């Protein structure tokens, strides 16, 4: 009898132990959320920055308003009219896409002659991601595209609005045969730009203001993540890492598989994980979702950022550029700040770079300044371009510089050349 009781007690203890092990391994303490993860379902570490949904990171870098008669204006992210028009367009449905060659659409003439709205997405956004922020119909050909520009316009004596989606490859345009936008809707959006700063469309296809542009210069206090925080965030067992000091003063932390390089003088970190998954077809949209998930769990976000991506050598390269107000913050070799750069392969992070420093917005001091416009800006552009370099874009941004306790954000014009190089004027 005693032996039976002992066996029952032992069996009960074993069962209890198994149940306890199950909850320890598969459940968060006191909750029902699974912490069993795949390589792309990253485990949340300590709370450093805010979490973001990918929808918050996808928005046009510029919104051009075409008024007809070769008159234009430009709205930048954060502008009241930009926000209003973009939110309205997000609620409209675009469907039944008709594929056309770029040559069949004389867009240069259309934007000069007709009232409309143009959304720029620079390097381009895969349709699978664009569908997360706009109501776009599904189409097998369109679904595989990357879109870098959306143009919505009305033509004289026509009763329906046109909606064009330009492929980033530069050879194809998709027109939405079904778009629930009336001619009156488009005209109402265009009217918001009537009394705004006039812009000139140049022969190079970029826009410059006809008069000086109002801007804000700001002294913003900063905080800083510690190396220990990043170490705890990026390594499963930080106690197993060893430290290597380089000749240039930087430090490397490694667990023999992954490495974290810290450049203290620039307050910049570079994390690499060389364990690449088997080669396969690139899915930039899935890579982007995994990248955002990784940042959410390993450092988080400070302020607002816009996502840019490209696919190179069977990898997806992403850059999340931080904004202050309506303008992006420049990241340069001389001063690293404002961007999170990542390289993804099969939804797995192979490299991750970011600044340890972040802006403490809300406690800054500001002053109003003017950015050059009109003939003065044209002369500055011609001077830096010279005879051999082709200008493809001109846009306002903030150039950061160090001040005591923070950063000074100085508004500048960024001039981008066809070879990808950029320079600034003010």
């Amino acid at each position: 009898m005693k032996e039976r009781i002992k066996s029952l007690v032992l069996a009960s203890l074993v069962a209890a132990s198994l149940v306890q092990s199950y909850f320890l391994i598969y459940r968060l303490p006191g909750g029902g959320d699974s912490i069993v993860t795949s390589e792309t379902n990253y485990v949340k570490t300590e709370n450093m920055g805010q979490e973001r949904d990918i929808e918050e990171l996808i928005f046009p870098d510029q919104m051009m308003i075409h008024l007809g008669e070769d008159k234009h204006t430009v709205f930048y992210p954060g502008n009241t009219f930009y926000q209003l028009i973009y939110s309205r367009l997000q609620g409209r449905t675009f469907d039944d896409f008709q594929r056309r060659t770029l040559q069949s659409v004389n867009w240069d003439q259309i934007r000069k002659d007709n009232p409309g709205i143009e959304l720029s997405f620079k390097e381009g956004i895969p349709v699978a991601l664009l569908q997360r922020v706009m109501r776009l119909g599904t189409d097998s050909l369109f679904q595989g595209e990357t879109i870098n520009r959306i143009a919505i316009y009305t033509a004289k004596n026509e009763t329906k609005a046109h909606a064009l989606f330009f492929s980033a490859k530069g050879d194809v345009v998709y027109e939405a045969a079904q778009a629930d936008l009336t001619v009156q809707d488009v005209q109402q959006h265009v009217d918001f730009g009537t009394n705004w700063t006039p812009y000139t469309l140049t022969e190079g296809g970029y826009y410059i203001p006809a008069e000086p542009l109002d801007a804000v210069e700001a002294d913003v206090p900063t905080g800083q993540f510690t190396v220990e925080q990043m170490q705890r965030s990026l390594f499963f067992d930080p106690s197993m890492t060893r430290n290597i000091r380089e000749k240039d003063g930087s430090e490397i932390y490694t667990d023999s598989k992954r490495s974290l390089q810290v450049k203290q003088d620039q307050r910049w970190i570079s994390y690499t994980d060389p364990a690449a998954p088997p080669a396969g077809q690139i899915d930039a949209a899935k890579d982007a979702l995994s990248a955002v998930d990784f940042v959410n769990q390993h450092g988080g976000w400070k302020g607002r950022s816009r996502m840019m991506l490209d696919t190179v050598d069977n990898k997806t390269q992403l850059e999340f550029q931080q904004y202050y107000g309506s303008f992006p913050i420049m990241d340069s070799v001389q001063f690293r700040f404002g961007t999170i750069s990542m390289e993804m392969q099969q939804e797995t992070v192979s490299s991750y770079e970011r600044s340890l420093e972040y802006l403490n917005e809300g406690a800054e001091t500001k002053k109003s300044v003017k950015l050059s416009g009109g003939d003065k800006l044209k002369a500055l552009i011609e001077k830096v371009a010279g005879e051999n370099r082709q200008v493809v874009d001109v846009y306002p941004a903030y150039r950061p510089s160090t001040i005591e306790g923070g950063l000074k954000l100085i508004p500048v014009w960024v001039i981008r050349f066809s070879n990808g190089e950029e320079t600034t004027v003010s």
Side-chain angles (χ1 to χ4, degrees):
M1 185 68 177
K2 288 182 179 179
E3 293 301 319
R4 287 187 64 187
I5 293 172
K6 286 181 180 178
S7 297
L8 287 171
V9 170
L10 183 60
S12 299
L13 289 172
V14 170
S17 177
L18 290 171
V19 171
Q20 186 179 33
S21 297
Y22 172 84
F23 280 101
L24 284 172
I25 295 172
Y26 292 97
R27 302 285 174 179
L28 287 169
D33 295 327
S34 170
I35 60 168
V36 174
T37 63
S38 67
E39 287 184 305
T40 56
N41 185 17
Y42 300 107
V43 180
K44 183 174 178 62
T45 55
E46 70 175 285
N47 187 21
M48 294 165 64
Q50 296 85 25
E51 293 189 14
R52 292 279 183 265
D53 294 324
I54 195 167
E55 290 82 359
E56 300 175 77
L57 307 168
I58 301 172
F59 53 89
D61 59 285
Q62 295 182 8
M63 177 184 292
M64 282 68 74
I65 305 297
H66 306 297
L67 304 168
E69 300 178 353
D70 203 12
K71 295 179 181 178
H72 318 268
T73 193
V74 178
F75 295 145
Y76 301 105
N79 173 278
T80 301
F81 292 138
Y82 172 107
Q83 298 293 106
L84 179 60
I85 295 171
Y86 186 46
S87 64
R88 286 183 176 181
L89 293 179
Q90 288 177 293
R92 301 295 186 173
T93 300
F94 302 89
D95 207 345
D96 191 13
F97 291 96
Q98 310 296 315
R99 194 170 190 264
R100 302 169 61 180
T101 63
L102 185 65
Q103 290 74 21
S104 69
V105 178
N106 190 350
W107 174 240
D108 286 339
Q109 198 61 45
I110 289 171
R111 61 181 169 180
K112 289 180 180 179
D113 296 343
N114 302 283
I117 308 135
E118 181 180 353
L119 308 180
S120 165
F121 288 92
K122 271 197 191 305
E123 291 80 3
I125 295 292
V127 168
L129 292 178
L130 200 56
Q131 286 173 325
R132 300 180 74 95
V133 294
M134 297 185 74
R135 297 165 67 177
L136 307 180
T138 56
D139 174 272
S140 57
L141 284 175
F142 183 63
Q143 195 73 23
E145 279 288 357
T146 296
I147 301 300
N148 66 358
R149 192 187 324 157
I150 300 173
I152 300 166
Y153 70 96
T154 61
K156 192 175 181 180
N157 300 324
E158 292 190 9
T159 58
K160 61 172 287 186
H162 296 268
L164 303 177
F165 292 73
F166 291 77
S167 169
K169 297 173 185 175
D171 59 346
V172 175
V173 178
Y174 294 83
E175 180 163 10
Q178 295 182 29
D180 63 345
L181 275 167
T182 66
V183 171
Q184 290 74 24
D185 290 331
V186 176
Q187 189 59 54
Q188 185 183 59
H189 295 156
V190 169
D191 287 344
F192 290 132
T194 303
N195 297 314
W196 208 252
T197 305
Y199 276 67
T200 301
L201 173 58
T202 67
E203 291 183 4
Y206 56 89
Y207 299 82
I208 61 172
E211 56 195 47
L213 186 69
D214 291 327
V216 172
E217 183 178 287
D219 292 350
V220 189
T222 58
Q224 188 170 323
F225 298 131
T226 66
V227 174
E228 290 74 21
Q229 281 179 304
M230 296 307 303
Q231 208 182 343
R232 289 195 299 269
S233 172
L234 292 167
F235 293 100
F236 293 125
D237 186 356
S239 66
M240 298 297 290
T241 62
R242 59 192 178 93
N243 176 270
I244 304 169
R245 185 175 292 276
E246 298 286 272
K247 291 181 180 179
D248 62 1
S250 65
E251 290 185 280
I252 295 177
Y253 298 83
T254 179
D255 62 359
S256 298
K257 178 185 176 185
R258 306 168 186 85
S259 68
L260 172 66
Q261 184 178 33
V262 182
K263 297 183 178 180
Q264 291 285 7
D265 58 332
Q266 294 185 328
R267 297 180 286 277
W268 187 263
I269 62 126
S270 300
Y271 170 78
T272 57
D273 185 350
Q281 187 174 359
I282 296 176
D283 190 324
K286 288 183 178 179
D287 281 344
L289 287 164
S290 294
V292 173
D293 189 34
F294 184 89
V295 177
N296 281 340
Q297 310 309 329
H298 300 277
W301 311 84
K302 289 290 188 179
R304 185 171 57 137
S305 296
R306 188 178 67 84
M307 182 179 72
M308 297 175 283
L309 59 78
D310 194 11
T311 53
V312 179
D313 296 332
N314 211 37
K315 295 179 181 179
T316 303
Q317 296 176 342
L318 298 107
E319 186 171 284
F320 302 94
Q321 187 168 32
Q322 186 174 344
Y323 273 66
Y324 177 77
S326 291
F327 304 159
I329 301 172
M330 289 186 65
D331 178 23
S332 64
V333 175
Q334 295 77 22
F335 193 96
R336 304 305 311 268
F337 185 81
T339 60
I340 295 175
S341 300
M342 303 183 72
E343 194 171 82
M344 305 290 296
Q345 190 171 3
Q346 298 291 296
E347 303 172 57
T348 302
V349 176
S350 57
S351 73
Y352 173 48
E353 296 188 31
R354 65 179 297 163
S355 176
L356 292 172
E357 194 170 18
Y358 56 85
L359 300 178
N360 281 324
E361 294 187 43
E364 62 266 52
T365 58
K366 305 177 183 178
K367 70 175 183 179
S368 297
V369 297
K370 295 278 189 181
L371 276 172
S372 300
D375 291 338
K376 182 179 179 181
L377 178 55
K378 289 180 183 178
L380 290 170
I381 294 170
E382 289 174 3
K383 182 178 179 181
V384 298
E387 297 181 358
N388 301 320
R389 296 201 285 182
Q390 179 187 359
V391 178
V392 295
D393 196 13
V394 176
Y395 63 93
Y398 280 106
R399 184 178 63 217
S401 64
T402 304
I403 57 173
E404 185 176 353
L407 293 177
K408 180 181 287 292
L409 299 180
I410 305 164
V412 294
W413 286 111
V414 179
I415 301 169
R416 188 177 188 183
F417 302 102
S418 57
N419 62 359
E421 292 180 3
E422 292 185 338
T423 190
T424 66
V425 297
S426 56

